[in-house]
Amino acid sequence: MRAARRWGVLSATAGVACAAVLAVACALPREGTGLVATKDAGRGYVDGASPSDAGAGTQDGERVPGEAGPPEPIVVDSYPVRAVGISDADLVWATTGMSALHRADLDGGGARVIESLSRDISELTVAGGAIYYTNGDLHVVQLDGTADMVLLYGTANACLQVTGSLAYLVNGGHPPEIDVFDIFSGTRTPLVSAAELGAPWGVAVTASDVYWSGNQQGDPDGGIWQLALDGGGTPREIVTHLANPNCLTVHDGALWWADYDDGTIRTSDLAGGWMQVLATGQDLASHPTTVVVDARYVYWNSGKTVMRLAR
């Protein structure tokens, strides 16, 4: 059953500002004003890091059928990597400990800090030429690290998806929420009734369905659920007996996710079938949380690295 509509918390002034920043976000990204971090010659070593900082997940792992071998680190940072996102030409990630946003080429080259932050990011995504991230609030910032703006205050502390002017958000606290936030109008509407949610964390939306992940059945049993986007019917658990699946991505008619507790990277079809383990042995001190996919590679965070696996 679909929950009742609620109004967002933005003021009229903030709503106008959000419309303005979204219009900027949809334009071509601007270059050149971010802070630049030092890196070693070669690929993706930032802030004085070295290949020895790569940590777990660089040697262990099952290969996915594709053009190359096991997972490889394409960025090795000096601090734990919390989340990762991609555009057509850019790789973006957030670090904790030194709270910052970073950007590089898709192969990890040219790595640099684009914005230093006052607190750690929970999760991020790249959409429409901008970076959207949650840290309790919902923010948008340009790919060069400028014009960081709060779009929504409160109850946005987990994974997200941004499609056009709509941000799909998860609040993993109490009460749990999976909502859609209209960035232009400032309205926030529940997608899934709180009664249907236990401890959600990830969300992914297609033209017809909403999917979410979490420890809904209690420790250690988690799963992935699906519900018609119009709220019709009842939620179905389509992938069962997972440890703790985190952020979800939909790409090429498939679901992709990282499991925070068992250090695996997985994929399935949109019905939850044909599940494959793409990689094992990822860092369980600074856990994998986010998986993003393009035509050639699967990317995720693990420890102090951004990992890549050929499809």
Side-chain angles (χ1 to χ4, degrees), residues 170-196:
V170 177
N171 173 32
H174 298 286
E177 297 174 281
I178 297 179
D179 299 337
V180 56
F181 174 65
D182 189 311
I183 298 170
F184 280 146
S185 69
T187 58
R188 184 170 181 170
T189 305
L191 283 181
V192 184
S193 168
E196 304 287 358

Side-chain angles (χ1 to χ4, degrees), residues 21-224:
V21 79
L22 186 68
V24 173
C26 293
L28 292 174
R30 293 168 292 162
E31 304 287 345
T33 59
L35 300 175
V36 178
T38 60
K39 72 179 186 73
D40 297 344
R43 188 195 309 166
Y45 299 108
V46 299
D47 298 335
S50 70
S52 63
D53 292 320
T58 61
Q59 301 298 324
D60 189 13
E62 302 175 19
R63 66 164 292 178
V64 64
E67 59 193 59
E72 60 172 340
I74 56 170
V75 167
V76 181
D77 208 295
S78 297
Y79 294 88
V81 177
R82 173 62 190 182
V84 60
I86 55 172
S87 68
D88 289 343
D90 299 289
L91 177 69
V92 175
W93 67 97
T95 51
T96 61
M98 183 190 81
S99 302
L101 279 169
H102 308 252
R103 178 180 170 191
D105 302 332
L106 283 176
D107 66 358
R112 68 267 196 200
V113 175
I114 58 170
E115 185 183 18
S116 296
L117 302 167
S118 60
R119 56 176 167 161
D120 286 345
I121 283 176
S122 296
E123 303 293 349
L124 68 81
T125 190
V126 179
I131 304 163
Y132 296 82
Y133 67 86
T134 59
N135 61 1
D137 306 322
L138 172 65
H139 288 246
V140 62
V141 60
Q142 298 307 294
L143 278 169
D144 63 6
T146 63
D148 193 320
M149 173 177 284
V150 178
L151 297 177
L152 178 69
Y153 288 97
T155 61
N157 62 6
C159 308
L160 70 162
Q161 176 179 314
V162 176
T163 304
S165 66
L166 299 179
Y168 299 92
L169 304 171
V170 177
N171 173 32
H174 298 286
E177 297 174 281
I178 297 179
D179 299 337
V180 56
F181 174 65
D182 189 311
I183 298 170
F184 280 146
S185 69
T187 58
R188 184 170 181 170
T189 305
L191 283 181
V192 184
S193 168
E196 304 287 358
L197 298 171
W201 193 258
V203 65
V205 177
T206 67
S208 59
D209 297 284
V210 54
Y211 300 84
W212 67 94
S213 64
N215 285 86
Q216 204 141 331
Q217 297 175 335
D219 184 29
D221 200 14
I224 297 173

Side-chain angles (χ1 to χ4, degrees), residues 209-263:
D209 297 284
V210 54
Y211 300 84
W212 67 94
S213 64
N215 285 86
Q216 204 141 331
Q217 297 175 335
D219 184 29
D221 200 14
I224 297 173
W225 286 259
Q226 174 266 336
L227 180 67
L229 193 57
D230 63 7
T234 57
R236 295 189 307 118
E237 188 177 10
I238 60 171
V239 184
T240 61
H241 305 304
L242 299 173
N244 187 6
N246 264 224
C247 294
L248 298 174
T249 295
V250 172
H251 187 85
D252 283 351
L255 288 165
W256 311 75
W257 69 92
D259 197 298
Y260 186 92
D261 284 2
D262 69 12

